[in-house]
Amino acid sequence: MHIRIFITGASGALGCALALRLAGPGVSLSLWGRNRPRLDEVAGFCRERGANAEVRSLDLSDCDAALAALHNDDNKGPFDLAFLVAGQGDTLAPGSIVENPAQVVRLAQTNFVAPAAMAAALAARMAARGAGRIGVVGTAAASHSLPFAAAYSGSKAGLSRYIDALRLAVSRYGVTVTLVSPGFFAGTTPSRPGEISADEVAGKMIAAVRAGRAELVVPRRFLLLRWFDRLLPRPFRDRLLLSLRAP
């Protein structure tokens, strides 16, 4: 049995971990990322494991070009699984009161517009075929109004709500859409309380997407923080959020 898998952000830590875990005989990987040398390196590792790996280096801020490329790649061979990982987590610049408007636009484009549009395009194609599984990476920060990362948390909050709505829209057509919300994310190994390594996130994400789960929050303690944020009286919540600083 042959399986076609699409991964964005494959030149980053989580995208790479997903690619390596999924690579094997009978697997074709379409790996997208911004860092072409790193992308080629990841593809080489995947080929060593027996997978067929193709790469595409592009900036997702050009949404029209990304959608055209996605349609082209899916036309060459329909994707069975898709992992939308790419995103940016820039925070407030030192000494600034609010984020630069250009940064707000860029994060909204990269963290919400591009992945939402690509998820919609994939979901529509998969629904027409009657099968498919999509995993989209959000963040636990989407549940919190972070003063030092307003554009990041806000753009990911929009993505979270959109992906949940998309999941409902295509559920009757044999397509599942899973939102994955990591907490503090470590590229290789945890260095702070609550961090989780890329490889551990990748393993849990693959299992959740294959099982068709609606959402995966890792580590699970961030589910408690989500409810704490919702239930805490606003004056106390505001005081707590204002005390936070960028990591």
Side-chain angles (χ1 to χ4, degrees):
M1 180 179 178
H2 191 82
I3 184 170
R4 284 263 294 164
I5 303 174
F6 174 64
I7 304 175
T8 67
S11 58
L14 179 54
C16 173
L18 285 166
L20 294 179
R21 278 182 170 265
L22 291 163
V27 174
S28 288
L29 296 167
S30 180
L31 306 176
W32 288 22
R34 289 192 298 268
N35 186 333
R36 183 57 188 260
R38 177 57 177 161
L39 200 58
D40 289 335
E41 184 179 30
V42 173
F45 292 146
C46 292
R47 294 179 188 122
E48 289 176 358
R49 300 187 179 204
N52 176 48
E54 299 179 347
V55 301
R56 187 184 290 276
S57 179
L58 78 173
D59 188 345
L60 294 185
S61 62
D62 187 346
C63 197
D64 289 339
L67 288 172
L70 176 58
H71 290 157
N72 180 69
D73 286 359
D74 191 68
N75 284 337
K76 289 193 298 184
F79 291 118
D80 304 291
L81 293 172
F83 296 85
L84 304 183
V85 180
Q88 292 184 332
D90 294 351
T91 58
L92 186 67
S96 298
I97 298 174
V98 298
E99 292 164 287
N100 185 294
Q103 177 171 304
V104 176
V105 172
R106 177 168 51 81
L107 292 185
Q109 183 74 30
T110 305
N111 292 340
F112 173 68
V113 176
M118 294 175 73
L122 284 163
R125 285 173 165 256
M126 289 177 172
R129 298 192 288 261
R133 300 190 184 282
I134 302 170
V136 182
V137 174
T139 174
S143 299
H144 311 285
S145 301
L146 302 179
F148 62 85
Y152 175 65
S153 59
S155 58
K156 287 290 191 176
L159 181 66
S160 174
R161 182 55 59 91
Y162 177 81
I163 291 304
D164 194 45
L166 180 66
R167 174 185 64 84
L168 294 172
V170 298
S171 59
R172 70 184 70 182
Y173 299 101
V175 180
T176 63
V177 184
T178 301
L179 176 68
V180 179
S181 302
F184 297 122
F185 180 71
T188 53
T189 57
S191 60
R192 294 177 299 174
E195 281 190 342
I196 186 169
S197 72
D199 188 59
E200 187 175 356
V201 174
K204 292 179 181 295
M205 182 174 182
I206 292 169
V209 170
R210 283 179 165 160
R213 290 178 55 181
E215 184 180 12
L216 169 70
V217 178
V218 285
R220 289 186 60 82
R221 73 189 70 178
F222 282 93
L223 281 172
L224 296 176
L225 290 177
R226 177 185 297 180
W227 284 107
F228 184 72
D229 186 291
R230 292 176 180 175
L231 297 175
L232 195 67
R234 183 172 293 274
F236 295 103
R237 169 185 168 275
D238 289 354
R239 187 181 306 170
L240 176 60
L241 290 171
L242 287 168
S243 71
L244 298 177
R245 295 291 182 270

